[in-house]
Structures are given as structure tokens and as C-alpha cells.
């Protein structure tokens, strides 16, 4: 196996990984960035609505309050305050890198004022293009970009992460690194109907778990209220469509949100998603109606959604658009502090893979692109402050592998038991049915399936243990929030041998 050495290995080329790599380079560090997709892969480029940051210093408190309110008592205040303090200047950096934000700022659910910057409804595409362009321009012997490079396992020595094994187009490479920064995105692919791209298989959570790092709050899964599901694929209709005045109607043509929340269509996503599911169950369908906004305005404001729905034979400006909730964002992840440090030395995490404490039980719309900037930069800086390329590398940690053919059945189990509504009987039955058929090869698909199998079991256990409803976790038999807001924390056993680790109260702990 080829061996290379670097100060910082960044895994992932989405907003968090790309920005972390650029930050580390700006401090003069040697960086390798590995991503299993092209640089423009990941969820980042699919983001439509926009990027949230305080509009001016005077908006910081209000943005913090909105974020804390959405997080239902589980946000870490220091993470929220670091976020609102740093976000605006990083968004300005994006502008300097060429992202042409519209002068118009928009409103989305849970925000007390319009503060979402956007480039029409293709904000993620613009950000992804600007960041990957900046990375390509900065490519040098000190910045290696490995596209199509799959990180299959981490290497640990003396309790610290010291590198990783990467399957590249030219064969396997062992990377010895002073620090590894995971920016691998979320795990939406654990569910059958999701807006997440195929690469959203939660690899970073699996890698961190193997290395002994704690995972947090996996049961909190955000469903986007308005997806158009066609042939099993979820096509997102951005929340900004409701921000601009879009209305939800049931099959009887009634606008129903006033029965669920005074904020109507701009109530928190979990509230709107459950309301839509209830109305579909009661009346047969729910439609998003933008017709009163005028077809010309709608098509100009949302050209990406207009084009994606036109391929399904729907006219966003003139038709009622049949919508339903779909898994969209995973709040839980690798536990980090406000500097992106995980519980294992040498291992950092930022972006959707991390549980940074920003989102708590529910993410405020459009906070995740800016989270990637803020915590990508912080994690890169924290990693550089202690950098020392280790003298030796041990063997790679064993990675769980599962037959990818088993995934549809596993996904169906998770969707049934840990969807918008959960209960103990369903979660227990899901855990009893949870089986991981071993794969015969260690190919990428088997490794991705292995990560999803691990995460699925941990999510089901976390959801069963949380006997309350809060944010993105709703238990039918415990419909109210508990008196105390507590994180669920999963701590793997020595060596991260998940299959041999009983997830008992000693391992799955709740910490206030
Ligand atoms: C359809 C859609 C619309 C959205 N709209 C918005 C919005 O308007 N505003 C907002 O704030 N948020 C939005 N979000 C959420 C937001 O896009 C994501 O949370 C954010 O982009 C995540 O960025 P990231 O850098 O953490 O991960 P990603 O952008 O998902 O990137 C993950 C990277 O990790 C790499 N990777 C993964 N595993 C491995 C591995 N084993 N080895 C090597 N590389 C690996 C991938 O190749 C990829 O480069 C949206 C999400 C979706 C799906």
C-alpha cells in the first residue's frame, strides 16, 4: 500500500470539508482532502433555500433565540453563540469567493425575521461551485485533492486517531496524519424516502464509532414537510416557497395549518410535517399552493424547483403540487465541542456528520450551510493548534461490512419504527428484526451498508430510550416533552466492536 503523510486529513468535500481545508491552508498547513464523490458531491450542492446568518450584529441575539427555540432545550448555548457570532463573516467570505447572493433576503420556518441569503433556489450549487473552484485554485504540493477517494477506516495509536486508509482510483493509500477531520455529511440514506443524495450513508459516524468516539442524539431526524415523491425519489420543494407565501391545502381544499400551530405554514418543520401526514391520513392528500403568488414570480423565484417538477409533468406556478414529508437532515452525529473536537484525540468533526450542539432536537431551516462554515473553520483551527504528525501508524481498524442487498429491508424497518411517529412496541419489534447479513467483500457499497447497519441499530436504541417527544423525535405514547432536556450519548466499547457491545444503560446514557 502507498503511504503518504500530511498534517491534516479532511474527509469530505462539501461545505464543511471544503471550508475546513481552505481555512487550514490559510494557516499554512499541509492538507489532504479526500472525498468519495467529485468535489461538488454531497448534500451541499442540492441546498435550495439558502444560508442563514445574522443580517447585522444587532440580529445576533434574535438569530440565537430562534435557533434555541427550534432546538427545544437541547442546543448547547456556547455552540449557538459561537455560531451567530462567526456566521456572518464566513458568509461574506463566500461572497468574496464569487457566490452572487441576491440582494433579497428571505424568510423560512422558525425565523423571526427574513435573514436567509440565497442565489434564487440554487444556493447550494453556487456555494459548492465557489468552494470547489477555490480548492482547485489552491491545489499545490501542500494541498492534495483526492476525488473519488473512499476513506474505508481510521488508524488509531495510543488512543489517538493518527490517519486513515483511503481507496483511491490508483489503489489503496495509507495516510498518516496529525489530525483527521470528518466532514462526511449525514445519514439520510438510512431511510427509503429521503432528499439526501446516495452518498449520504453516514460513513463518518461509522468511522468515528469504530475509533471509539461518542455519538449523540441519533434519534432526532428532520423530515422536510414538502417533498414531491415520484417513483420512490423525493424531489424537494424548498421551504422558501412557504416563506414567500405558499399555502398547504388538504384534499378538501382547506387550509389546515391553523389547527396545528399559530405560525401556520411557517411553524417548525416537525410540526408542519406531522400536520401534513395527519391530513394525508385523514383526507387522502395535501397540496402546496403557490398559484396566488403569480406564475411569473414563482418561476423566476424558484427556477430549479420549477425545472425539477416540470420533469414530473407539474407546473409549479399553475398546479397544485402534491407534497409529503421526507427525511431531510440528521441532527445527531459525532459528539463535538465548540471547536469541533470529538471525544477521541486527533479526531475532529464538522458539518452534518457532527453533533456540535447547534441544532439540539431540531435544526432551524438554513442553519446547516452556515454551520459547515463556522464549525469547519473552527475544527480546522483547533486541529492545527495541536498538530504533530505521528511517528508510527498502527493497523487500520476493522470496518463492519454488510451485504448492500439487505439495505431495502433495513430501511423499511427503520421507516416503519422510527419515522415521524414512534412507539415502544414498534421500536422493540424493529430491534428484534435487526439483522446484519455479512458481506463477502470489503467494497465501498458493503462498507457504506455496514455504516448504515450500525447507525440504524444505534438510532433505534436511542429512540426507544427517549421516552418523551421533543423536536425531531415524536413518541405516540409519550406525546409531551420531559421535564429535563437531556442528550442521548452513545459510547462505544474498546475497539468500537459494535456487534459485541451491548447498548445497555451503561453505554447509552442521558446527560443533562
Ligand atoms: C435537497 C437538500 C436541500 C437542502 N437545503 C438546504 C438549505 O437550503 N440550507 C441549508 O442550510 N441546508 C440545506 N440542506 C442541508 C445541507 O445541504 C447539508 O446539511 C450540508 O450541505 C452538509 O454539508 P457537509 O459538508 O456536512 O456534507 P455534504 O455536503 O453532504 O458532503 C459530504 C462529503 O463527504 C464525502 N464523504 C462521505 N463519506 C466519505 C468517505 N467514506 N470517504 C470519503 N469521502 C466521504 C462526500 O463525498 C462529500 O464530499 C439541504 C439538504 C438537502 C439534501
Amino acid at each position: 500500500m502507498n503511504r503518504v503523510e500530511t498534517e491534516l486529513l479532511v474527509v469530505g468535500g462539501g461545505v464543511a470539508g471544503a471550508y475546513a481545508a481552505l481555512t487550514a491552508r490559510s494557516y499554512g498547513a499541509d492538507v489532504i482532502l479526500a472525498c468519495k464523490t467529485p468535489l461538488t458531491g454531497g448534500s451541499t450542492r442540492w441546498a435550495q433555500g439558502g444560508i442563514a446568518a445574522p443580517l447585522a450584529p444587532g440580529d445576533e441575539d434574535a438569530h440565537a433565540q430562534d435557533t434555541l427555540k427550534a432546538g427545544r432545550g437541547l442546543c448547547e448555548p456556547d455552540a449557538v453563540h459561537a455560531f451567530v457570532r462567526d456566521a456572518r463573516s464566513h458568509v461574506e467570505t463566500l461572497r468574496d469567493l464569487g457566490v452572487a447572493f441576491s440582494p433579497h433576503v428571505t424568510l423560512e420556518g422558525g425565523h423571526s425575521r427574513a435573514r436567509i441569503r440565497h442565489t434564487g433556489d440554487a444556493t447550494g450549487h453556487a456555494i459548492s461551485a465557489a468552494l470547489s473552484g477555490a480548492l482547485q485554485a489552491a491545489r499545490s504540493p501542500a494541498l492534495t485533492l483526492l476525488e473519488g477517494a473512499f476513506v474505508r477506516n481510521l488508524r488509531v495509536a495510543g488512543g489517538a486517531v493518527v490517519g486513515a486508509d483511503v481507496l483511491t482510483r490508483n489503489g489503496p493509500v495509507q495516510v498518516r496524519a496529525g489530525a483527521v477531520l470528518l466532514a462526511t455529511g449525514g445519514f439520510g440514506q438510512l431511510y427509503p424516502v429521503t432528499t439526501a443524495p446516495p452518498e449520504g450513508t453516514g460513513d463518518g459516524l461509522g468511522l468515528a464509532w469504530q475509533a471509539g468516539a461518542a455519538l449523540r442524539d441519533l434519534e432526532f431526524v428532520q423530515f422536510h414537510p414538502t417533498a414531491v415523491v415520484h417513483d420512490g425519489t423525493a424531489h424537494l420543494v424548498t421551504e422558501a416557497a412557504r416563506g414567500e407565501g405558499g399555502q398547504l391545502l388538504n384534499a378538501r381544499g382547506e387550509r389546515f395549518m391553523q389547527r396545528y400551530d399559530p405560525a401556520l405554514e411557517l411553524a417548525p418543520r416537525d410540526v408542519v410535517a406531522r400536520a401534513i401526514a395527519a391530513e394525508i391520513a385523514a383526507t387522502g392528500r395535501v397540496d402546496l399552493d403557490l398559484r396566488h403568488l403569480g406564475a411569473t414570480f414563482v418561476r423566476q423565484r424558484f427556477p430549479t424547483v420549477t425545472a425539477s417538477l416540470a420533469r414530473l409533468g407539474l407546473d409549479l406556478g399553475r398546479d397544485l403540487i402534491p407534497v409529503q414529508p421526507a427525511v431531510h437532515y440528521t441532527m445527531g452525529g459525532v459528539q463535538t465541542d465548540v471547536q469541533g473536537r470529538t471525544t477521541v484525540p486527533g479526531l475532529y468533526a464538522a458539518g452534518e456528520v457532527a453533533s456540535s450542539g447547534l441544532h439540539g432536537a431540531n435544526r432551524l431551516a438554513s442553519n446547516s450551510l452556515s454551520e459547515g462554515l463556522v464549525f469547519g473553520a473552527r475544527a480546522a483551527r483547533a486541529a492545527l493548534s495541536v498538530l504533530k504528525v505521528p511517528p508510527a501508524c498502527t493497523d487500520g481498524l476493522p470496518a463492519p461490512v454488510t451485504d448492500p442487498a439487505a439495505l431495502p429491508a433495513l430501511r423499511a424497518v427503520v421507516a416503519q419504527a422510527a419515522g415521524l411517529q414512534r412507539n415502544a412496541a414498534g421500536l422493540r419489534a424493529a430491534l428484534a428484526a435487526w439483522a446484519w447479513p455479512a458481506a463477502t467483500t470489503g467494497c465501498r457499497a458493503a462498507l457504506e451498508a455496514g455504516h448504515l447497519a450500525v447507525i440504524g441499530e444505534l438510532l433505534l436504541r436511542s429512540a426507544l430510550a427517549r421516552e418523551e417527544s421533543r423536536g425531531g423525535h415524536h413518541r405516540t405514547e409519550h406525546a409531551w416533552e420531559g421535564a429535563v432536556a437531556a442528550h442521548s450519548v452513545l459510547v462505544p466499547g474498546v475497539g468500537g466492536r459494535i456487534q459485541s457491545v451491548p447498548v445497555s444503560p451503561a453505554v447509552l446514557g442521558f446527560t443533562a
Side-chain angles (χ1 to χ4, degrees), residues 78-147:
D78 58 347
V80 175
H81 291 116
F83 171 75
V84 294
R85 212 171 39 240
D86 295 1
R88 203 160 57 94
S89 71
H90 292 307
V91 173
E92 288 309 317
T93 304
L94 287 183
R95 201 188 290 277
D96 295 343
L97 292 177
V99 179
F101 290 114
S102 162
H104 166 263
V105 289
T106 195
L107 184 66
E108 291 187 328
H111 287 273
S112 54
R113 65 181 72 160
R115 63 166 73 89
I116 322 286
R117 292 163 179 87
H118 62 88
T119 63
D121 61 354
T123 310
H125 188 269
I127 292 174
S128 184
L131 289 173
S132 60
L135 283 170
Q136 298 286 6
R139 198 191 271 262
S140 73
L143 175 63
T144 305
L145 303 175
L146 298 175
E147 296 182 77

Side-chain angles (χ1 to χ4, degrees), residues 389-424:
V389 178
C393 238
T394 55
D395 288 344
L397 293 169
V401 283
T402 299
D403 184 348
L407 275 181
L410 292 181
R411 288 184 175 120
V413 169
V414 176
Q416 172 72 26
L420 272 172
Q421 316 260 16
R422 297 116 187 240
N423 62 54

Side-chain angles (χ1 to χ4, degrees), residues 11-17 34-37 42-44 46-50 149-151 183-185 195-196 203 236 328-329 351-352 363 366-369:
V11 188
V15 63
C35 58
K36 66 183 180 180
T37 55
S43 288
T44 298
W46 297 106
Q48 295 177 350
F150 181 76
V151 173
T184 49
T195 62
D203 303 6
L236 182 70
H328 183 60
Y329 186 85
E352 193 169 342
R363 175 187 69 120
S366 285
N367 264 4
S368 40
L369 290 171

Side-chain angles (χ1 to χ4, degrees), residues 7-10 20 24 27 29 177-182 337 339-341 346-349 375-389:
E7 288 178 309
L8 180 64
L9 170 64
V10 176
Y27 285 92
V180 175
L181 198 167
L182 298 171
D337 66 9
Q339 309 296 351
R341 289 183 287 235
L347 186 64
Y348 298 76
F375 292 98
R378 284 178 159 256
R381 278 198 302 268
L384 298 191
S385 68
V386 291
L387 268 191
K388 197 159 71 85
V389 178

